[in-house]
Amino acid sequence: MSFRRWCIAKSDKPLSRKIAQRFGIDGFTAHLLSSRGFCSDSDIADMLGINEDSAEFIDPFSIIDMDKAVKRVRTAIDNFEKIAVYGDYDVDGVTSTSIVYSYLEYNDANVTFYIPDRDSEGYGLNCAAVDKLHEQGVALIITVDNGISAIDEVDYANSLGIDVVITDHHCEGEKLPNAVAVVNPHRHESKCPFTEYAGVGVAFKFLCALEGDSMAVIENCCDLVALGTIADVVSLTGENRRLVRIGLDMLQNSERVGLKVLMEMAGLVNKSVTSSSVAFIIAPRINAAGRLGSAERAVRLLLSEDEDEAIEIAQQLTNENKERQAIEQIISRETAELIERNPEWLYDRVLVISGEGWNRGVMGIFASRMCERYGKPCIIISYEGDSAKGSGRSIEGFSLYDAISACSEWLTGFGGHTLAAGLSLKTENIDGFRRAINEYAAREFPRMPAPILNIDCQLPPSMITLELHGAAELLEPFGTDNPTPLIAVMGLKITNIFGAAGGKHQKITMERDGHVISAMKFSTATEDFPFNVGDTVDIAVTLDKTVFRERESLTVVIRDIRLSETHFEEINRGRHIFESLMRGEQLSEEEMAALRPSRGEVGAVYRAAVKGYRGGEDVLSCRMRHMGISHAKLLTSLQILKEGGLILYEDDGAMIKVSSSPNTDSSQKIALENTPTAILAGYSNT
């Protein structure tokens, strides 16, 4: 992943001590609560689950229009009007559809459900789907996890005599649809004390209003509410937290045939079901239905009472999840080839990459991976003929929604949030959109925000124990606004490095002040691990508990590692100046001097490069800094040497790779001062 600034949460020790004493909890747990802003007795009690069993759920009628929605749906049930539950193809939409359809069917409603096809219909209500439902005699459409922006589509439904009740959790626009009811806690007039529900959370509140008894609804569907809430990455605080905690307990011993089969295929039998296992094991399999085929199958899986049917669908989704991973690999290779042909893209403030015929179901996932890899906002676009659709992800501090909104003249449609957005446009406008969004970024962000790694606290190695894991475990379930605790341990000397699983992972032993830590760096091959025995490093870790033969042990997992001498600001500034140079922007003489290497400095970089290096640019930068070479000069020198044919140099975001050039034909090499980057930097080989 890209090099990130470590931001360690400030500690209010007096407040932490007060919380620890007040609630009888470990000081580490108290620190986590206070540093995350959970300071009032009620907030802390919610986080710890204290008195949860006797607490009242929020009145569903505090959400605006809930009374209108309930009245219209009850009328439809009583009159046996045909109702269509109109959902979405992701986990949130699928679980929302399942719980509302199941409830209405149980209450003898004349009900069907509809999930739009991701490729041919896209997100949300569409007129073609309304036509199909009209042909089936539908008199009432209930949207779940969509509808807040369906202005024209609701008007069209009304023109056909179809009423619409909207339940959604996405932010409202300038105008609301002309529906019978628009149930959305984010509406400006809403008085609901909690607003951060997923779509399935809003659907749940709707069912509570219909039933008049929240606990009765919970007993029937809270497992699916938890599944959709976790998958949609909404805040796991407030009522969401309570719903997820109850739902995870239900998932642990699920009686749903489809879920049981799916969890068995995912290897979760006799294992603890956590928010992490839902997010990374169960949810991707359900999402696979809508990414590579029809999401309607996922609804049928969750509703199925037939084991044979459930096994068939679960196997399809498991296979498609593997296929989705393979497709991502293909797109990754094609992306690398595109970047190789268009290296200037990598210097953009916002990375926009487009490819023909890419599966649109994986665009969001791939955009997220690219954003993490390059440490900058990324938009991945797939085009076929004259039509293109894209999905983007961003970093903290850069609103992707605002950026896309500012370039809307290039688009045929868009929507989303601060950190994630989707868009559609004509293929011929892709290049224009790329220029426009980067011009916006240059105008609004002369220096783009740096990617951040938020760390909960810094501790000595002596405190990294199984007991510390137990103290953190009190704040499960973890998720948005309450992430898995990340701990920094500084100044550790590496004493041993061992390649595990054939060198696919690294087991690292480190020591400080007589205390030894053994930690795992997963998914890092031996040849890609740039640290050596004897290096002094800082690590950011999470703690896992492993149980084997009834014996508990601690696994320390490295999420980030850096040399202790790392100077983030210098490296980040060097990268900023270098990318500005490569974009052809005007630099001050001071900035030019900061990146223009001398002949001797280029020679030093060359001698280091031909020895070979694979790893993060920060580690190589630290090693070169000992030779007086700044990060900006390092990057400039590497680019000049590459263009001169003297070295092989690749920067794929995750790491840089340098080695001597295998090309021994001197005719293929050019004088370094004549390379494009040397000319830009004013480098002279004299």
Side-chain angles (χ1 to χ4, degrees):
M1 68 184 67
S2 62
F3 182 51
R4 296 174 290 181
R5 177 191 284 116
W6 287 21
C7 291
I8 301 176
K10 293 181 181 179
S11 175
D12 186 336
K13 292 182 180 179
L15 177 59
S16 295
R17 282 195 294 269
K18 181 180 177 181
I19 291 173
Q21 293 170 359
R22 170 77 176 83
F23 288 90
I25 56 177
D26 185 88
F28 178 60
T29 313
H31 163 76
L32 292 175
L33 287 165
S34 65
S35 66
R36 294 177 178 188
F38 304 110
C39 302
S40 70
D41 283 2
S42 60
D43 285 345
I44 294 170
D46 283 346
M47 295 301 294
L48 297 175
I50 296 173
N51 301 323
E52 203 169 66
D53 292 341
S54 59
E56 293 290 328
F57 280 90
I58 293 171
D59 180 4
F61 288 98
S62 64
I63 303 177
I64 194 168
D65 275 8
M66 186 67 83
D67 54 340
K68 297 177 183 177
V70 168
K71 181 179 179 181
R72 180 64 185 91
V73 173
R74 283 178 176 164
T75 298
I77 294 173
D78 292 342
N79 296 335
F80 206 62
E81 298 175 73
K82 190 160 189 179
I83 304 170
V85 181
Y86 193 104
D88 186 29
Y89 37 69
D90 66 1
V91 179
D92 191 16
V94 164
T95 51
S96 300
T97 303
S98 298
I99 66 170
V100 175
Y101 173 85
S102 181
Y103 177 87
L104 294 175
E105 184 186 48
Y106 180 79
N107 282 276
D108 299 322
N110 179 11
V111 63
T112 186
F113 67 85
Y114 188 94
I115 306 289
D117 179 79
R118 182 190 291 265
D119 287 335
S120 62
E121 297 177 87
Y123 169 78
L125 197 62
N126 68 83
C127 293
V130 173
D131 281 334
K132 294 177 186 176
L133 296 175
H134 181 249
E135 290 171 3
Q136 297 173 23
V138 168
L140 172 65
I141 295 173
I142 304 172
T143 72
V144 289
D145 191 32
N146 73 93
I148 193 68
S149 60
I151 309 296
D152 295 338
E153 293 80 5
V154 170
D155 285 345
Y156 182 67
N158 290 339
S159 73
L160 298 177
I162 301 175
D163 286 341
V164 181
V165 166
I166 291 170
T167 72
D168 201 354
H169 71 123
H170 298 96
C171 294
E172 65 177 294
E174 295 180 1
K175 182 181 178 183
L176 287 175
N178 186 28
V180 172
V182 181
V183 178
N184 187 329
H186 285 291
R187 282 183 60 183
H188 302 314
E189 314 97 310
S190 182
K191 304 298 183 183
C192 186
F194 184 74
T195 61
E196 299 307 308
Y197 298 105
V200 73
V202 179
F204 161 76
K205 301 304 289 187
F206 170 57
L207 298 186
C208 292
L210 275 172
E211 181 66 17
D213 182 353
S214 295
M215 292 311 300
V217 177
I218 280 175
E219 290 172 3
N220 285 300
C221 70
C222 202
D223 51 348
L224 298 188
V225 175
L227 176 54
T229 298
I230 293 169
D232 216 49
V233 202
V234 293
S235 177
L236 286 196
T237 59
E239 194 161 280
N240 280 349
R241 182 171 183 78
R242 187 177 179 191
L243 293 170
V244 167
R245 185 177 283 149
I246 296 170
L248 287 175
D249 287 342
M250 292 173 65
L251 281 169
Q252 189 70 55
N253 301 292
S254 179
E255 296 182 358
R256 293 184 189 273
V257 175
L259 270 181
K260 286 176 66 176
V261 169
L262 189 67
M263 290 166 65
E264 286 172 3
M265 290 185 181
L268 290 177
V269 177
N270 299 324
K271 291 185 179 180
S272 177
V273 178
T274 65
S275 54
S276 292
S277 57
V278 168
F280 299 112
I281 299 177
I282 300 174
R285 286 164 167 78
I286 295 175
N287 261 331
R291 295 191 191 282
L292 300 183
S294 169
E296 177 263 344
R297 295 170 300 160
V299 177
R300 288 197 290 114
L301 176 71
L302 297 180
L303 298 177
S304 180
E305 297 179 357
D306 182 289
E307 187 171 3
D308 290 337
E309 178 191 44
I311 290 172
E312 180 182 356
I313 298 174
Q315 189 62 64
Q316 288 175 8
L317 302 194
T318 299
N319 293 341
E320 287 174 9
N321 189 51
K322 294 177 182 176
E323 184 182 348
R324 184 265 305 170
Q325 294 169 336
I327 289 171
E328 279 188 66
Q329 291 297 318
I330 293 170
I331 295 175
S332 181
R333 288 196 296 270
E334 293 181 2
T335 297
E337 293 170 0
L338 283 167
I339 290 174
E340 188 174 355
R341 295 198 297 270
N342 302 275
E344 68 278 4
W345 288 355
L346 285 183
Y347 307 123
D348 285 345
R349 289 174 169 83
V350 180
L351 186 59
V352 179
I353 300 177
S354 58
E356 185 174 9
W358 287 347
N359 187 293
R360 292 172 178 173
V362 304
M363 292 296 94
I365 296 175
F366 191 66
S368 180
R369 299 199 197 289
M370 294 292 282
C371 178
E372 183 177 5
R373 167 172 286 200
Y374 288 101
K376 59 178 66 179
C378 292
I379 299 172
I380 306 299
I381 297 174
S382 173
Y383 61 88
E384 293 185 26
D386 61 359
S387 174
K389 289 188 176 182
S391 185
R393 298 295 183 269
S394 190
I395 60 173
E396 189 174 333
F398 185 90
S399 172
L400 194 59
Y401 183 82
D402 289 348
I404 290 174
S405 298
C407 308
S408 59
E409 70 269 20
W410 294 95
L411 308 174
T412 56
F414 69 95
H417 308 287
T418 299
L419 298 180
L423 54 89
S424 57
L425 69 166
K426 293 181 179 179
T427 301
E428 63 186 22
N429 287 337
I430 292 174
D431 289 339
F433 171 71
R434 180 185 290 110
R435 287 192 300 272
I437 198 167
N438 275 283
E439 287 169 0
Y440 165 87
R443 186 169 62 250
E444 301 294 330
F445 296 86
R447 186 164 176 179
M448 289 287 285
I452 292 172
L453 182 67
N454 290 307
I455 297 174
D456 288 289
C457 62
Q458 177 183 332
L459 294 176
S462 59
M463 291 188 65
I464 307 301
T465 62
L466 194 59
E467 289 72 26
L468 190 72
H469 173 271
E473 209 171 18
L474 288 175
L475 297 186
E476 283 271 20
F478 296 119
T480 303
D481 293 335
N482 183 45
T484 302
L486 191 61
I487 303 162
V489 187
M490 309 295 209
L492 294 161
K493 184 176 182 180
I494 297 178
T495 57
N496 190 34
I497 302 171
F498 174 75
K504 295 179 181 179
H505 316 298
Q506 304 305 307
K507 184 176 183 180
I508 308 138
T509 304
M510 296 154 286
E511 181 271 338
R512 193 188 98 190
D513 301 330
H515 295 281
V516 176
I517 287 181
S518 182
M520 293 298 302
K521 184 71 173 70
F522 290 109
S523 302
T524 302
T526 300
E527 62 269 23
D528 296 335
F529 191 68
F531 300 92
N532 305 315
V533 170
D535 282 341
T536 301
V537 298
D538 304 332
I539 57 175
V541 302
T542 55
L543 307 179
D544 287 346
K545 180 176 69 175
T546 304
V547 180
F548 181 69
R549 293 180 180 175
E550 299 183 357
R551 183 176 179 180
E552 296 180 344
S553 61
L554 181 70
T555 300
V556 180
V557 181
I558 296 175
R559 302 300 180 182
D560 203 2
I561 180 170
R562 67 184 188 186
L563 291 171
S564 294
E565 62 192 278
T566 300
H567 294 268
F568 178 87
E569 288 304 330
E570 179 189 322
I571 294 174
N572 190 49
R573 181 173 182 272
R575 166 62 71 174
H576 166 72
I577 297 173
F578 173 72
E579 289 191 350
S580 294
L581 175 77
M582 300 304 287
R583 289 191 295 262
E585 296 173 353
Q586 186 70 37
L587 297 177
S588 67
E589 183 50 43
E590 179 186 359
E591 290 172 325
M592 291 296 291
L595 60 74
R596 185 187 299 122
S598 67
R599 179 180 180 180
E601 288 168 333
V602 172
V605 173
Y606 171 73
R607 288 189 292 275
V610 295
K611 294 178 182 178
Y613 176 82
R614 295 167 66 95
E617 66 180 78
D618 57 304
V619 179
L620 181 59
S621 182
C622 286
R623 305 219 191 274
M624 298 306 297
R625 192 167 181 269
H626 288 295
M627 305 172 70
I629 299 173
S630 70
H631 192 62
K633 289 183 178 180
L634 168 64
L635 295 177
T636 305
S637 298
L638 288 170
Q639 191 66 25
I640 290 172
L641 290 165
K642 175 185 178 181
E643 292 169 359
L646 294 178
I647 66 169
L648 297 179
Y649 168 41
E650 178 186 348
D651 182 353
D652 68 357
M655 67 171 65
I656 61 174
K657 305 171 187 176
V658 292
S659 62
S660 59
S661 173
N663 186 2
T664 57
D665 184 356
S666 60
S667 66
Q668 298 296 314
K669 301 173 183 177
I670 62 175
L672 296 184
E673 64 267 26
N674 294 329
T675 61
T677 300
I679 294 170
L680 282 173
Y683 167 77
S684 176
N685 191 21
T686 58

